Amino acid sequence: MTQEEENKLIDDAYQKLINGYLSSAHRKRVEKIEKAYRFARRAHEDIHRRSGEPYILHPIAVATVVSQEIGMGSTSICAALLHDVVEDTDYTVEDIKAIFGDEVIAETGEKVGEKIANIVDGLTKISRDFFGDKASLQAENFKKLLLTMNQDVRVILIKIADRLHNMRTLASMPPAKQYKIAGETLYLYAPLAHRLGLFAIKSELEDLSFKYEHPDIYKTITEAVDASANKRNNMFERFSQPIRERLDAMGLEYEFKARVKSCYSIWKKMQAKRIPIDEIYDIYAARIVFDCPHDKDENITCWAIYNEITKIYNKIHPGRIRDWLTRSKPNGYRALHLTVMGPNGEWIEVQIRSRKMDIIDERGMTAHWIYKEGGGELEEDIQLEKLIREIDEILKNPEPNALDFLDSIKLNLYAREITVFTPKGDNITLPKGATVLDLAFTLHSEIGYHCIAGKVNHQLVPISHKLAGGDQVEIITSQSMRPKPEWAKFVVSAKGKTRLNLAFRHIRREVMDRGEELFKDFMAQNSAEINNENLTRIISTLGVQNKDELYLKIGNGDIKLSPVLLKALKPASQNLLSKLWRNSFGSKSAKDTSESEPTTSSEIDRKKVYVLKTVDGNSNYRLSKCCHPLPGDDVLGFVSRKNEVVVHKIDCPTAMRLKSGYGSRIIETEWQLSNETFFASIRIEGIDRMGILQEIIYLISTNMAINIRRLNITSNDGVFLCEMNVLVEDVGTVTKMCKQLGKVKGVTRAARLS
């Protein structure tokens, strides 16, 4: 591409940004955007992306998403244009402040340059040299983003726009980088977009992540959806025609369309129900969006439309009515949903919403800025403030482990919710599955620490009792109660987990302090010096990891201090040294080697494809126990600190956490063909009959020559369930076996569990 062609490409992209901004409802401050653009273009001059295009096109694209897909104003557009300047060039935050001089924002009295510079600073990644490769760089970056979000939510919105454009241009990246970025997006950024109500962006992030993690499955689902388009359109026309007539008679201005589920949503349903795509019937939902001049009439109109629909289609699914009008979702979403049986006997979901509700659904909590008039507080403001408060609490007492921290944040972002009531009638929102103890911690940390039971609808229940929507709950406390380790099993809310873990850390610290005092007294009584050499010998003798564990076990009473321990302070004999050397570095049995420490002869090149192979019974990898991958699965490798490659399925929850927290240690892998066999778990369901078990075993063992290692079958009221472990060579063998099992009379479903 010539310089002239590049310049035209850049100018066209910038003009598209300006045209979209000028057509928005925001006050027109083009000169401010022009300043930021000129500075960004100069800063990124002669720099190109991996795809070969001029780098400046990326910040322009991010600013376009910020403006046209999220609906933000000039300050956000300027910050988006400048978001990579400090990270990727020699310019500083102070240079950004200087661009705008002493220009002041009239509404707030803040300086424009300082406001934009603060947003850019929040978006600037932390230097890798500061944390090193062993720390979770992504977790630290995400923590910094969230800290800045408390001051200005635009930071996270621009970051989501940045991630969206990176995902749209991910094809130019190597596969290992694609896995890392796609996994991090699915684990963190899509849930964050969901929580902020950015439905369109959330769906696109999920679909793009899915596309790069499972390209073949993505292609199959896309082709199946496209192939059924004509049939689906004809079905929708028959369904919608009588409804349109009623809406026209009501005198409404409206839009009635069919919304197809995203590929990722379809796949998730296939996974959850373990069914093929041709057995999913609710691939689309009908959506009615009506114009409503006055906000006060929105709810009335929604229920009026609901009434007209039920006159036509009176078979209503009782469990699928969703009233998001009376109380909106945590991300600000409002609408009325119902599911009715259509003319062909199929269930069809209908979503009813006003134009304003629709824009808020697509653009999230930020969309209400377009409508906000006067100084009144809107529901969206309240929800946004609530989200920031929740995240702020987690940040005040963060989990020491980076991945646990990310889990806490993710739990807060994606939780489905129920509403319960206190004895005074106050309503409290909790995640679905929350317990009495969750409510206690939500009310106050001290109430949680001393909770001993609850009264749910006036009935006494234990603290582990799961709450249901509408429950009236009273918390019973005792000052003698202290948090117990088993409490962690039935606390599901992010707030409860954070406060409980904080209590555990305090208790652990108290025990360690007590243990340290006991140790010091013991050493002083025996005239022994406490130094690094003596500590090392005692730690080695007792088999603990470090001095913190030593003090903890002494404080708990697990280690008894006695004069015998002082023998460890004497110089070790040659025999003892040899023993320690063998224990630390000596050879292991073949079983130990294969299970825990795969053979890796040298440092792993993370930029190359790592070939998974087994030579003379020794594998250069370890299969993760959380997802049990097989050859043929879409997998990735994680390089542990011991320089071993641990293999996970790409969509394994643990792998998603690793991609989000330690992306630099993810490598692309491929299987080398071998004669090895691997464990696979199979689940078979069906109608029980005489001889069916014998047929299943004969098919697997004799016809397919597959070794069955475990078999468990139960039968209840004529329905049987069979779970078995088999030894197979690859995922293709499992697929073929399940297909053959499906042909056995009485078997309704056969699928791999892991």
Side-chain angles (χ1 to χ4, degrees):
M1 188 183 297
T2 66
Q3 188 62 51
E4 185 178 342
E5 289 172 331
E6 282 192 359
N7 289 338
K8 185 177 185 311
L9 198 64
I10 296 168
D11 292 340
D12 289 347
Y14 178 64
Q15 195 56 51
K16 177 186 175 186
L17 166 65
I18 293 299
N19 290 343
Y21 172 67
L22 290 174
S23 64
S24 72
H26 291 280
R27 277 169 290 186
K28 308 306 179 282
R29 291 170 174 169
V30 178
E31 71 288 343
K32 185 164 74 171
I33 297 173
E34 185 69 29
K35 282 182 185 179
Y37 166 66
R38 286 198 301 268
F39 184 84
R41 186 162 182 178
R42 184 168 68 251
H44 296 299
E45 192 173 13
D46 298 327
I47 301 174
H48 291 76
R49 302 187 82 200
R50 180 183 286 270
S51 61
E53 65 181 20
Y55 193 89
I56 187 62
L57 288 175
H58 169 64
I60 292 174
V62 173
T64 303
V65 172
V66 162
S67 173
Q68 297 174 24
E69 297 186 48
I70 302 180
M72 301 168 75
S74 58
T75 299
S76 301
I77 293 171
C78 290
L81 287 168
L82 298 167
H83 79 273
D84 275 337
V85 166
V86 175
E87 181 186 345
D88 293 342
T89 74
D90 294 330
Y91 289 102
T92 65
V93 172
E94 294 303 318
D95 293 325
I96 292 177
K97 291 179 184 177
I99 302 173
F100 303 96
D102 295 325
E103 187 180 346
V104 173
I105 301 172
E107 294 83 356
T108 63
E110 297 173 286
K111 289 186 177 180
V112 173
E114 286 186 2
K115 175 56 69 176
I116 294 172
N118 287 339
I119 296 174
V120 172
D121 186 44
L123 289 159
T124 302
K125 292 178 181 176
I126 298 171
S127 167
R128 179 177 293 277
D129 295 334
F130 184 78
F131 287 100
D133 190 42
K134 291 184 180 180
S136 172
L137 184 62
Q138 289 96 326
E140 296 298 341
N141 283 331
F142 203 70
K143 191 182 297 183
K144 186 181 181 188
L145 277 170
L146 294 173
L147 282 166
T148 314
M149 174 183 171
N150 285 0
Q151 302 167 11
D152 196 325
V153 73
R154 286 174 290 195
V155 171
I156 207 70
L157 293 169
I158 296 169
K159 183 60 182 176
I160 288 172
D162 175 45
R163 179 50 59 108
L164 178 61
H165 185 250
N166 283 336
M167 289 301 298
R168 287 172 175 174
T169 56
L170 197 58
S172 59
M173 291 289 183
K177 197 79 171 178
Q178 290 176 353
Y179 292 152
K180 176 257 178 189
I181 294 173
E184 182 181 88
T185 299
L186 201 57
Y187 188 75
L188 288 175
Y189 289 97
L192 189 56
H194 167 86
R195 189 65 169 81
L196 290 167
L198 299 167
F199 179 80
I201 289 177
K202 168 251 186 185
S203 295
E204 186 174 353
L205 287 174
E206 288 178 338
D207 267 9
L208 288 170
S209 299
F210 179 48
K211 176 182 178 181
Y212 286 102
E213 291 201 331
H214 299 282
D216 294 336
I217 302 174
Y218 176 85
K219 183 181 178 183
T220 299
I221 293 175
T222 303
E223 289 175 350
V225 170
D226 290 343
S228 64
N230 288 336
K231 179 182 177 182
R232 193 169 59 249
N233 291 339
N234 292 334
M235 188 184 300
F236 176 70
E237 284 303 315
R238 289 197 304 275
F239 172 76
S240 64
Q241 185 56 40
I243 298 176
R244 290 180 192 276
E245 293 174 3
R246 296 291 182 104
L247 297 180
D248 290 341
M250 292 171 67
L252 292 175
E253 292 292 330
Y254 65 90
E255 181 182 4
F256 196 178
K257 57 187 177 183
R259 182 188 66 83
V260 180
K261 283 182 182 287
S262 67
C263 287
Y264 180 74
S265 296
I266 293 171
W267 180 71
K268 289 290 284 183
K269 193 157 191 174
M270 290 167 61
Q271 293 292 102
K273 295 194 172 184
R274 301 185 180 277
I275 56 176
I277 189 171
D278 54 8
E279 291 185 26
I280 296 180
Y281 301 107
D282 56 343
I283 285 180
Y284 78 94
R287 179 177 296 173
I288 298 169
V289 181
F290 60 89
D291 294 331
C292 188
H294 305 293
D295 289 355
K296 62 182 178 62
D297 296 331
E298 285 181 323
N299 290 10
I300 296 171
T301 306
C302 284
W303 284 110
I305 294 172
Y306 172 94
N307 188 47
E308 293 300 321
I309 293 172
T310 55
K311 288 178 182 177
I312 304 166
Y313 301 109
N314 55 19
K315 290 185 176 61
I316 307 165
H317 197 304
R320 296 290 299 276
I321 298 173
R322 300 287 184 267
D323 176 11
W324 300 114
L325 301 175
T326 307
R327 184 177 179 85
S328 66
K329 285 187 178 182
N331 58 16
Y333 177 84
R334 294 179 63 236
L336 180 60
H337 294 190
L338 72 155
T339 299
V340 298
M341 186 172 287
N344 295 331
E346 73 286 357
W347 290 109
I348 298 175
E349 181 183 72
V350 184
Q351 303 167 356
I352 308 169
R353 59 178 71 167
S354 69
R355 186 72 58 188
K356 176 182 174 181
M357 294 176 190
D358 191 56
I359 292 175
I360 289 175
D361 176 40
E362 297 297 319
R363 293 188 174 181
M365 294 179 185
T366 59
H368 77 279
W369 294 340
I370 300 170
Y371 296 96
K372 193 173 182 181
E373 297 175 1
E377 188 176 40
L378 299 182
E379 173 69 15
E380 291 83 0
D381 295 302
I382 298 168
Q383 296 291 1
L384 192 54
E385 286 299 319
K386 179 186 172 187
L387 170 63
I388 291 174
R389 283 198 308 271
E390 290 171 352
I391 289 176
D392 184 51
E393 179 164 357
I394 294 172
L395 292 170
K396 284 178 181 175
N397 301 292
E399 296 287 343
N401 179 281
L403 293 181
D404 289 341
F405 163 76
L406 294 179
D407 277 344
S408 295
I409 292 294
K410 182 179 170 66
L411 184 64
N412 244 46
L413 298 178
Y414 245 165
R416 294 184 178 180
E417 296 188 322
I418 60 171
T419 300
V420 298
F421 298 89
T422 67
K424 294 182 179 179
D426 297 329
N427 59 65
I428 307 290
T429 301
L430 294 168
K432 189 175 182 181
T435 62
V436 169
L437 189 57
D438 281 300
L439 175 60
F441 276 118
T442 300
L443 294 172
H444 197 280
S445 55
E446 287 299 317
I447 296 175
Y449 297 154
H450 302 295
C451 179
I452 59 171
K455 281 187 176 180
V456 176
N457 304 323
H458 310 292
Q459 297 294 316
L460 191 66
V461 297
I463 58 176
S464 59
H465 177 82
K466 288 187 179 181
L467 302 175
D471 280 346
Q472 186 183 56
V473 190
E474 178 185 350
I475 303 298
I476 302 173
T477 61
S478 169
Q479 287 304 308
S480 63
M481 176 60 74
R482 295 191 73 193
K484 298 179 179 179
E486 58 266 26
W487 286 12
K489 297 177 183 178
F490 42 83
V491 173
V492 302
S493 65
K495 182 175 288 187
K497 285 179 179 291
T498 301
R499 292 181 170 180
L500 184 59
N501 287 336
L502 181 62
F504 287 157
R505 292 207 295 273
H506 285 163
I507 293 171
R508 180 185 173 91
R509 185 72 262 171
E510 289 174 3
V511 174
M512 286 170 58
D513 289 344
R514 184 167 65 248
E516 186 176 4
E517 286 300 316
L518 290 170
F519 181 74
K520 286 179 178 178
D521 291 344
F522 168 77
M523 296 292 279
Q525 290 167 9
N526 290 277
S527 302
E529 185 182 354
I530 299 177
N531 54 36
N532 287 337
E533 183 179 359
N534 285 343
L535 270 175
T536 301
R537 285 174 176 168
I538 290 173
I539 287 169
S540 176
T541 300
L542 294 174
V544 294
Q545 295 294 318
N546 49 45
K547 66 178 182 181
D548 284 349
E549 187 179 353
L550 171 67
Y551 296 151
L552 184 67
K553 289 197 171 187
I554 292 172
N556 275 329
D558 297 332
I559 290 177
K560 304 296 183 183
L561 297 172
S562 68
V564 177
L565 189 63
L566 299 176
K567 293 181 180 180
L569 304 184
K570 298 177 182 179
S573 66
Q574 181 63 41
N575 288 340
L576 179 58
L577 284 173
S578 300
K579 183 179 179 181
L580 289 172
W581 177 268
R582 286 196 303 272
N583 287 345
S584 300
F585 305 104
S587 61
K588 296 181 177 236
S589 67
K591 180 179 179 181
D592 288 342
T593 302
S594 64
E595 289 185 355
S596 59
E597 294 190 13
T599 305
T600 48
S601 57
S602 60
E603 189 66 28
I604 295 164
D605 187 344
R606 303 182 190 181
K607 295 182 180 179
K608 293 183 179 179
V609 177
Y610 187 81
V611 179
L612 306 171
K613 56 187 177 183
T614 300
V615 179
D616 296 330
N618 294 319
S619 300
N620 68 343
Y621 61 90
R622 175 159 59 88
L623 296 178
S624 65
K625 295 180 180 179
C626 51
C627 58
H628 301 286
L630 297 175
D633 281 327
D634 292 331
V635 297
L636 54 78
F638 175 74
V639 182
S640 73
R641 292 179 183 177
K642 295 181 181 179
N643 198 41
E644 61 185 23
V645 175
V646 184
V647 183
H648 292 265
K649 290 183 189 176
I650 284 180
D651 55 350
C652 162
T654 302
M656 290 178 70
R657 295 172 75 231
L658 293 173
K659 283 181 283 185
S660 302
Y662 300 97
S664 62
R665 287 155 64 183
I666 298 296
I667 58 173
E668 184 186 2
T669 59
E670 67 176 35
W671 298 95
Q672 184 182 80
L673 294 177
S674 69
N675 294 323
E676 274 192 289
T677 55
F678 303 82
F679 273 104
S681 296
I682 309 298
R683 179 187 177 98
I684 308 168
E685 301 172 11
I687 307 301
D688 199 7
R689 62 175 176 82
M690 184 70 69
I692 192 169
L693 179 59
Q694 289 87 336
E695 285 187 37
I696 290 173
I697 294 174
Y698 183 82
L699 171 66
I700 296 172
S701 299
T702 306
N703 286 4
M704 302 189 71
I706 293 173
N707 191 358
I708 300 175
R709 297 302 298 271
R710 184 185 71 87
L711 180 68
N712 181 33
I713 187 166
T714 58
S715 179
N716 186 26
D717 294 333
V719 176
F720 83 91
L721 173 64
C722 176
E723 291 186 358
M724 64 174 68
N725 288 346
V726 294
L727 289 177
V728 296
E729 293 183 356
D730 54 33
V731 71
T733 306
V734 177
T735 303
K736 181 180 178 182
M737 182 178 69
C738 289
K739 189 174 181 179
Q740 292 298 317
L741 286 169
K743 297 178 181 178
V744 174
K745 182 182 177 183
V747 172
T748 57
R749 182 172 300 157
R752 175 185 170 193
L753 289 176
S754 64

